[in-house]
């Protein structure tokens, strides 16, 4: 809708007045949409103080009125909003077919990038042989350097998506990834390969930092469960599918086709993105609508200010970057919720990449399998991830609804934690099984079962933590997720570097026992602590909503 206001009624004195007085249906819808946008975005949203106070229209101004109405009332400002709750331009009102199409494309972007992050793992011995790499740390870095870029890219790609739009930044970043991933296949030495991998990872981090925001733009809170389940599975399933394909490519061809094949697949996904992925970010869409109105306005009517409901001084690019770069670190410094859950998620992600780089050494070294056959054991991790994810996707919203009903219709972020409980048990159990059964005299299916348990525990914890952080830090959820994501990416980079030395010194049994004990100490208390004390912690928080 387009609204007109007199100068003396443009803004309330402060944001506290935003919640006072009767609210129109459109204002309520806008605030709900803003909360949903911010709650799932992985790029950094507007601050709470950025939310514009409610501004009442003059009684004579009808919703959807024309510029002439404003002139008759003496107003000189036009505020652009959606044309009511059923505005077809609002992505929330797109058809299910169109919304699911955008969801699948974003999930595909989120899938193909992590495929590249790990697909090279089975081919590292070929690369080491060709480039003369003798250090196990450097050999592991050819794989994990890609993940290091995941910790850096979201810090500036998220803010850029607020300034230029989600779709534009997402697709341009993917094209950047496509170019550098292609160039990786032409690397002539170790330095070039590591540098090209890092640059490709910067572009590949965009779906992880922006994709959640796209889902928040498209889906209402009560509809979001399955979409988030699909999206959150992609970055964990990708690193599993990649090595399976990479192992056969490394055995049948050259390691260079590891990069060229993923580039071809990404190019196909990019074509679908260009055709079907449209902008979903409300401030950008309403800004485009305001631009059209400015062009259509009669110059003789005078120069009126045309703005959107999201336009504030703090939406300047300098302010957005300032908040984006500092708030995630402030959240980690001051918020116990982020500290404990962030460390645990970092441990989970690091453990996954540790296994991605050590599975070949288990099944090639212990069981004497050739590269292609050894790569098939990554499927065990994928079975655990996919099976647990699909079960949890169907139960997550049901469990939440069950506890809301028991609590008299009042929801709490802690109602997202029950599915984390089996995850904290399955992860250390899988580590114990995989570590102590990786022996030639024990059939290979037994360590595969342990690896499947590890995957199931990882995804259950991953999804529960992600949804809990979103619900607890609604207005600042993007920054909270950025803090957690940055730490987990650093762990994904670092864990594979010390894994060879640890397993060489201790063996798989003792090495995985250390990881299992860490999983128990860090993870098992988390759901219990936040179930009983989470509300008290949130009320004392500077950022979490009460």
């Amino acid at each position: 809708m387009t609204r007109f206001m007199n100068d003396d009624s443009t803004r309330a004195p402060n944001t506290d007045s935003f919640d006072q007085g009767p609210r129109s249906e459109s204002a309520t819808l806008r605030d709900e949409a803003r909360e949903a946008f911010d709650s799932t975005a992985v790029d950094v949203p507007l601050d709470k103080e950025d939310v514009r106070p409610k501004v009442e229209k003059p009684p004579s101004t009808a919703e959807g009125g024309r510029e002439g109405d404003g002139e008759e009332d003496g107003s000189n400002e036009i505020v652009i909003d959606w044309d009511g709750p059923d505005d077809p331009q609002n992505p929330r009102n797109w058809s299910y077919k169109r919304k699911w199409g955008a969801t699948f494309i974003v999930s595909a972007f989120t899938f193909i990038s992590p495929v590249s992050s790990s697909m090279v793992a089975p081919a590292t011995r070929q690369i080491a042989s060709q480039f003369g790499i003798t250090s196990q740390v450097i050999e592991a870095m050819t794989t994990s350097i890609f993940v290091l870029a995941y910790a850096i890219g979201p810090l500036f790609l998220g803010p850029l998506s607020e300034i230029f739009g989600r779709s534009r930044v997402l697709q341009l970043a993917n094209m950047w990834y496509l170019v550098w991933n292609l160039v990786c296949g032409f690397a002539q030495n170790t330095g070039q390969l590591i540098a090209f991998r890092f640059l490709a990872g910067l572009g590949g981090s965009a779906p992880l930092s922006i994709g959640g925001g796209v889902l928040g733009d498209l889906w209402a809170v009560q509809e979001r469960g399955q979409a988030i389940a699909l999206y959150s599975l992609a970055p964990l399933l990708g690193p599993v599918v990649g090595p399976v394909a990479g192992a056969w490519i490394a055995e049948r061809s050259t390691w260079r086709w590891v990069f060229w094949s993923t580039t071809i697949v990404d190019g196909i996904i990019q074509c679908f993105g260009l055709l079907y992925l449209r902008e979903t970010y409300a401030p950008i869409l309403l800004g485009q609508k305001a631009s059209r109105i400015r062009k259509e306005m009669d110059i003789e009517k005078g120069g009126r200010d045309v703005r959107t409901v999201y336009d504030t001084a703090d939406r300047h690019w300098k302010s957005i970057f300032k908040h984006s770069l500092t708030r995630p670190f402030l959240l980690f410094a001051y918020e116990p919720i982020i500290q404990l859950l962030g460390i645990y998620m970092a441990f989970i992600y690091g453990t996954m990449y540790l296994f991605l780089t050590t599975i070949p050494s288990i099944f090639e070294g212990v069981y004497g399998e050739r590269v292609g056959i050894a790569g098939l054991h990554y499927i065990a991790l994928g079975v655990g991830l996919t099976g647990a994810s699909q079960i949890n996707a169907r139960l997550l919203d049901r469990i939440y609804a069950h506890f809301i009903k028991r609590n008299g219709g009042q929801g709490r972020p802690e109602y997202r934690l029950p599915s984390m409980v089996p995850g904290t048990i399955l992860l250390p159990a899988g580590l114990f099984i995989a570590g102590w059964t990786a022996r030639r005299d024990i059939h290979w299916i037994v360590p595969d079962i342990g690896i499947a348990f590890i995957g199931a525990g990882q995804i259950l914890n991953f999804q529960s933590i992600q949804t809990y952080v979103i619900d607890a830090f609604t207005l600042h959820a993007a920054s909270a997720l950025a803090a957690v994501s940055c730490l987990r990416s650093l762990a994904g980079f670092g864990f594979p570097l010390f894994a060879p030395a640890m397993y060489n010194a201790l063996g798989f049994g003792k090495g995985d026992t250390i990881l299992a004990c860490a999983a128990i100490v860090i993870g098992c208390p988390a759901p219990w602590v936040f179930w009983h004390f989470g509300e008290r912690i949130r009320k004392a928080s500077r950022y979490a909503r009460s």
Side-chain angles (χ1 to χ4, degrees):
M1 82 188 123
T2 308
R3 293 182 290 175
F4 308 89
M5 297 174 290
N6 295 319
D7 290 338
D8 58 355
S9 65
T10 56
R11 302 187 183 184
N14 55 56
T15 56
D16 294 336
S17 64
F18 189 78
D19 295 326
Q20 297 175 0
R23 303 184 58 78
S24 67
E25 180 182 358
S26 60
T28 302
L29 179 67
R30 185 178 68 249
D31 295 339
E32 183 189 33
R34 182 190 297 276
E35 178 176 303
F37 293 154
D38 292 339
S39 69
T40 57
V42 185
D43 58 308
V44 181
L46 301 176
D47 285 339
K48 186 174 182 179
E49 61 266 22
D50 293 334
V51 180
R52 294 188 64 85
K54 177 190 172 187
V55 183
E56 297 293 343
K57 298 179 298 215
S60 61
T61 303
E63 292 192 8
R66 299 182 178 180
E67 290 79 10
D69 298 327
E71 184 180 38
E72 290 172 2
D73 293 331
S75 62
N76 60 2
E77 187 174 52
I78 303 174
V79 180
I80 308 301
D81 198 351
W82 300 120
D83 294 333
D86 300 320
D87 187 346
Q89 296 183 46
N90 187 340
R92 289 288 182 86
N93 296 322
W94 289 359
S95 67
Y96 275 97
K97 181 179 179 181
R98 189 177 181 187
K99 288 196 284 188
W100 273 113
T103 300
F104 276 111
I105 291 172
V106 171
S107 298
F109 281 137
T110 313
F111 171 78
I112 191 61
S113 173
V115 165
S116 293
S117 73
S118 60
M119 194 170 176
V120 71
T124 52
R125 291 188 180 180
Q126 275 192 14
I127 296 172
S129 176
Q130 182 168 344
F131 291 157
I133 300 173
T134 57
S135 170
Q136 289 182 318
V137 173
I138 300 298
E139 184 178 330
M141 189 179 292
T142 59
T143 298
S144 65
I145 190 66
F146 193 95
V147 186
L148 178 62
Y150 282 1
I152 301 171
L155 295 178
F156 62 88
L157 290 174
L160 285 174
S161 73
E162 283 196 356
I163 299 170
F164 299 106
R166 304 204 197 277
S167 178
R168 185 179 302 171
V169 174
L170 180 61
Q171 298 199 58
L172 287 175
N174 184 70
M175 292 179 186
W176 173 277
Y177 152 75
L178 187 149
V179 169
W180 288 108
N181 190 64
L182 176 65
V183 173
C184 284
F186 296 97
Q188 298 302 311
N189 55 57
T190 306
Q192 287 182 4
L193 180 61
I194 291 176
F196 296 159
R197 288 272 289 166
F198 179 78
L199 291 171
L202 290 177
S205 69
L208 304 179
S209 60
I210 302 173
V214 175
L215 300 189
D217 298 341
L218 293 171
W219 301 97
V221 177
Q222 65 274 15
E223 301 174 324
R224 199 178 298 153
Q226 291 188 356
I228 288 183
L230 175 65
Y231 169 75
S232 62
L233 175 63
L236 295 180
L237 188 59
V240 175
V241 174
V244 175
W248 287 102
I249 291 173
E251 182 174 321
R252 302 287 181 176
S253 182
T254 171
W255 61 268
R256 298 184 186 276
W257 271 103
V258 168
F259 301 104
W260 295 337
S261 60
T262 50
T263 301
I264 292 171
V265 175
D266 183 62
I268 295 172
I269 296 172
Q270 180 63 64
C271 291
F272 281 99
L274 291 172
L275 292 173
Y276 299 111
L277 185 60
R278 295 291 177 261
E279 185 55 58
T280 62
Y281 192 43
I284 299 298
L285 293 175
L286 291 177
Q288 294 171 353
K289 183 177 180 180
S291 297
R292 290 194 299 268
I293 290 177
R294 291 189 192 100
K295 292 179 181 179
E296 295 170 357
M297 286 177 58
D298 188 351
I299 299 178
E300 296 180 356
K301 291 183 178 179
R304 290 191 233 166
D305 181 23
V306 180
R307 63 174 178 83
T308 74
V309 291
Y310 294 97
D311 287 337
T312 65
D314 285 339
R315 274 198 57 77
H316 190 274
W317 70 269
K318 291 183 180 179
S319 177
I320 292 175
F321 267 95
K322 177 183 176 182
H323 290 306
S324 300
L325 293 172
T326 59
R327 195 186 303 116
F329 300 101
L330 292 175
L331 280 164
F332 191 80
Y334 293 109
E335 297 295 331
I337 295 174
I338 299 299
Q339 290 165 0
L340 181 55
L341 295 182
I343 290 172
Y344 188 46
M345 184 176 278
F347 174 81
I348 294 169
Y349 206 66
T351 301
M352 184 182 72
Y353 272 88
L354 182 148
F355 265 85
L356 291 174
T357 56
T358 55
I359 281 178
S361 63
I362 294 175
F363 294 99
E364 290 178 40
V366 176
Y367 290 95
E369 297 175 349
R370 67 179 196 268
V371 175
I373 298 299
L376 294 177
H377 293 278
Y378 285 98
I379 296 175
L381 189 61
V383 168
L385 288 169
T386 306
S389 172
Q390 293 309 303
I391 294 172
N392 197 37
R394 288 161 174 77
L395 294 180
L396 199 61
D397 289 339
R398 294 183 184 180
I399 293 172
Y400 189 75
H402 169 73
F403 283 107
I404 286 180
K405 186 176 180 180
R406 287 182 54 180
N407 196 34
Q410 185 67 31
R412 293 174 55 196
E414 287 71 32
Y415 297 157
R416 300 293 190 181
L417 294 175
S419 58
M420 187 177 174
V421 175
T424 59
I425 297 171
L426 287 170
L427 179 57
L431 287 167
F432 280 124
I433 295 172
W436 288 106
T437 61
R439 294 161 37 189
R440 185 177 291 273
D441 59 330
I442 297 178
H443 195 274
W444 55 260
I445 194 65
V446 182
D448 272 355
I449 292 172
I451 292 172
F453 281 4
I454 292 171
Q458 287 171 342
I459 193 65
L460 289 175
N461 284 301
F462 192 91
Q463 290 178 337
S464 295
I465 291 172
Q466 200 166 37
T467 51
Y468 178 80
V469 169
I470 287 171
D471 287 356
F473 292 87
T474 304
L475 288 175
H476 303 284
S479 294
L481 288 174
V484 172
S485 298
C486 181
L487 191 65
R488 87 182 190 207
S489 297
L490 291 174
F493 166 71
F495 271 48
L497 302 184
F498 70 76
M502 180 181 73
Y503 287 129
N504 288 338
L506 302 175
F508 293 110
K510 293 180 180 178
D512 285 348
T513 297
I514 293 174
L515 296 176
C517 291
I520 293 171
V521 171
I522 300 173
C524 288
W528 184 87
V529 168
F530 287 114
W531 184 267
H532 291 283
F533 303 105
E535 186 172 6
R536 186 186 307 175
I537 295 172
R538 286 185 287 107
K539 286 183 177 179
S541 169
R542 295 170 56 185
Y543 294 96
R545 72 177 185 180
S546 60

